[in-house]
Amino acid sequence: MHEGNQAEAPLNPGLVFDMVQAHQRSAALKAAIELDVFRAVGQGPGDVASIARHCTASERGTRILCDFLVINGVLAKENGNYKHTPSSAAFLDPSSPACMASVAYFMSNPALREPYDNLASVVRAGRTSLEGEGTVEPENPVWVEFAEKMAPMMAPMAAPLGGVVLNGHSGPMHVLDIAAGHGLFGIEIAKQNPQARVTGLDWAPVLRVALKNAEKAGVQDRYNMLPGSAFDVDFGGPYDVVLLTNFLHHFDKPTCVSLMKKVHSALKPGGRAATLEFVPNEDRVSPPMPAAFSLTMLTTTPAGDAYTLSELTEMYTRGGFSNVKGHPIPMSPHTIVMGTA
Amino acid sequence: MHEGNQAEAPLNPGLVFDMVQAHQRSAALKAAIELDVFRAVGQGPGDVASIARHCTASERGTRILCDFLVINGVLAKENGNYKHTPSSAAFLDPSSPACMASVAYFMSNPALREPYDNLASVVRAGRTSLEGEGTVEPENPVWVEFAEKMAPMMAPMAAPLGGVVLNGHSGPMHVLDIAAGHGLFGIEIAKQNPQARVTGLDWAPVLRVALKNAEKAGVQDRYNMLPGSAFDVDFGGPYDVVLLTNFLHHFDKPTCVSLMKKVHSALKPGGRAATLEFVPNEDRVSPPMPAAFSLTMLTTTPAGDAYTLSELTEMYTRGGFSNVKGHPIPMSPHTIVMGTA
């Protein structure tokens, strides 16, 4: 660094400023959802006074918050009135079937945010500062909330996952859905293949959420529940397909390998395991969303990570699988990884 | 919203996901500064083990944090090693004269962040949830910290401001710098015009910071101090120039107008007042940085705002000024607004 050159360079403080202030974006979205701003905008007419009335909020606060949402692309402004962007209409207006407000709520859960208040000490320690094992602590109630709130984010992944996993297979089929959560992935298989039976494995209070979703989908007669920990419970089987969605990233590699071995031994010969994961490229810094997910694993788990395809392939291979392939889901940060027993 | 169309639209949860997680970016930058990551990267060789050793941090945490910084453009990664981007070298490495780490620190001050923990209630109330009058509470110690820490952000604005304000004027000149803070703007005038005398007005503990900077710049013999509140203290004068930098945005319009009247009466006929402000376009939602600044005023003041040029022009005009003009500072979110008494 040469001080002379530095002094001549045009300085733009924007980059640092923007990153320091990024927390405002999370707070603004949370406040807007809490105040029901997106419903108010959807109902119109969209002037500050009407929105403020709907939200029981001050006009100054409403105007400044709505302008901030426009700046961030989740509202539009025309002649001083606010209206939806396509994205805010689809994902943030409670009247939309794809509304993700509950996802935003889950993800801004104060119980999961605490490690960010002192991230330096988390980086020093190399593990979550949450109590016990963090989100992988047995029976952590956060997973009931995950099952209840994250469905709108995961629902769009269900159809593509079902398509990749079934790949035209019909006929009788037994599927184990490990860490079923909301249950949507197993339920999707049951919907796409009327002869598929699904066993959901998760903590008992979580499975109650999955069962409700199975009832909504009308597949409850082919939905069984296996309550407990994926590491302790006997899987039964043998199965044609095992789903392992949003699960491996919580654990270190040896733990994942031993789980893949257990999965392998619960599959029929030729049966398949499918994981749904955030899979960064081998450089670990792209694409942005899957790569950034490792920070969430640092703050919430003792040893989890966003694994690359080569790392996941190694886990599958050491678990006894062959023919391991990644299937990125278009328009999403998720990748399905399939392997054959 | 037609449910049929909605179901057919490709759904991309990325936008909401990104906004919900934006707070991670602020936390990561703060942690990296605290851990001295940017100095470690600047010194090389940039492998995880070396950086972790320098920062007394775990390798897992260091790798995940550094990858996150790369994703956010404030580090680069090459063959698994981390190195500076031009921006991180200039603005985040403590060995750079333009390092803004102290700015990031000031802006992540927990005392200013509290309103974001319950932004909905701030929007409801339409004013800061900080104690008393928030950051405009008399003698608020936050302004000593501002004066000490924000200089690297404001320093690049000083030369352009000095140029616009002097506009070739030399010879004897008396300048009043209201809310002088770090003092850099008045000091710059004194540097550019060796016959200029500057009076800095601010709370006494803040002026001690300005005086130190005047000494560093070698202009302390032409630097006087006027301690107190801009609203209460007698300005003295008459002055050739009054500077009002980063000040009007803290107050409502009537307060600004009465202050402009007081400024006007302290100026010689033909004297000029210059404000430095975040000035959004008339739509209040562009450019992003000046427009977004109004949220900071909502959370930290009872009635402040980021005023548009037409609003500032009205304040000047009501204060008795004419010939009011905006001068955006290139490569910065700031605008100088000048008016003639």
Side-chain angles (χ1 to χ4, degrees), chain A residues 24 58 60 63 116 304-305, chain B residues 24 60 63 116 123 304-305:
Chain A
Q24 293 184 320
S58 69
R60 177 187 181 228
R63 188 251 304 162
Y116 295 99
D305 215 333
Chain B
Q24 293 183 320
R60 176 186 181 229
R63 189 251 304 163
Y116 294 100
V123 172
D305 214 333

Side-chain angles (χ1 to χ4, degrees), chain A residues 16-286:
Chain A
V16 174
F17 191 91
D18 185 58
M19 200 161 171
V20 176
Q21 298 288 68
H23 71 97
Q24 293 184 320
R25 299 176 58 207
S26 303
L29 182 63
K30 184 163 179 276
I33 292 170
E34 243 174 277
L35 291 164
D36 208 27
V37 166
F38 296 106
R39 188 194 311 270
V41 169
Q43 291 176 346
D47 59 297
V48 170
S50 305
I51 298 169
R53 241 186 340 266
H54 176 99
C55 302
T56 327
S58 69
E59 292 196 12
R60 177 187 181 228
T62 300
R63 188 251 304 162
I64 290 175
L65 177 63
C66 288
D67 281 344
F68 191 86
L69 297 170
V70 173
I71 294 163
N72 284 280
V74 289
L75 279 186
K77 192 175 184 181
E78 220 174 80
N79 303 320
N81 280 16
Y82 302 96
K83 48 179 225 169
H84 275 308
T85 61
S87 291
S88 67
F91 300 125
L92 292 167
D93 190 319
S95 75
S96 161
C99 182
M100 306 218 302
S102 68
V103 173
Y105 243 69
F106 172 78
M107 292 173 65
S108 62
N109 189 334
L112 301 181
R113 291 279 289 268
E114 180 269 322
Y116 295 99
D117 292 342
N118 197 358
L119 186 56
S121 73
V122 172
V123 172
R124 275 192 204 100
R127 53 163 287 143
T128 183
S129 59
L130 297 173
E131 215 182 336
E133 300 293 289
T135 52
V136 296
E137 181 75 12
E139 305 277 1
N140 189 322
V142 80
W143 297 117
V144 177
E145 210 190 327
F146 181 94
E148 285 170 344
K149 304 287 172 61
M150 291 294 276
M153 179 163 171
M154 295 304 164
M157 309 304 138
L161 182 121
V164 169
V165 168
L166 287 172
N167 193 25
H169 287 55
S170 57
M173 174 181 285
H174 199 174
V175 177
L176 175 65
D177 187 2
I178 295 177
H182 39 67
L184 297 185
F185 297 117
I187 290 166
E188 178 68 24
I189 305 270
K191 280 164 70 180
Q192 289 190 22
N193 177 358
Q195 297 191 67
R197 279 182 308 132
V198 177
T199 299
L201 186 161
D202 213 318
W203 307 113
V206 179
L207 283 180
R208 284 195 278 276
V209 181
L211 185 62
K212 250 186 268 174
N213 287 329
E215 284 163 359
K216 260 191 248 173
V219 301
Q220 71 275 20
D221 295 344
R222 294 178 282 129
Y223 200 86
N224 302 312
M225 297 191 289
L226 185 54
S229 154
F231 297 100
D232 302 332
V233 87
D234 182 348
F235 287 162
Y239 297 93
D240 299 277
V241 168
V242 174
L243 305 180
L244 257 176
T245 57
N246 295 311
F247 193 59
L248 294 178
H249 53 242
H250 293 102
F251 308 100
D252 65 13
K253 288 179 195 173
T255 306
C256 291
V257 168
S258 68
L259 185 67
M260 291 312 291
K261 285 180 182 166
K262 186 174 174 187
V263 168
H264 187 272
S265 69
L267 278 164
K268 296 178 187 166
R272 283 156 324 131
T275 59
L276 182 76
E277 282 291 343
F278 291 102
V279 182
N281 295 330
E282 300 299 326
D283 63 12
R284 287 191 179 283
V285 292
S286 64

Side-chain angles (χ1 to χ4, degrees), chain B residues 86-117:
Chain B
S87 291
S88 67
F91 299 126
L92 292 167
D93 191 319
S95 75
S96 160
C99 182
M100 306 219 301
S102 69
V103 173
Y105 243 70
F106 172 78
M107 290 173 67
S108 61
N109 188 332
L112 302 181
R113 291 279 290 267
E114 179 269 322
Y116 294 100
D117 291 342

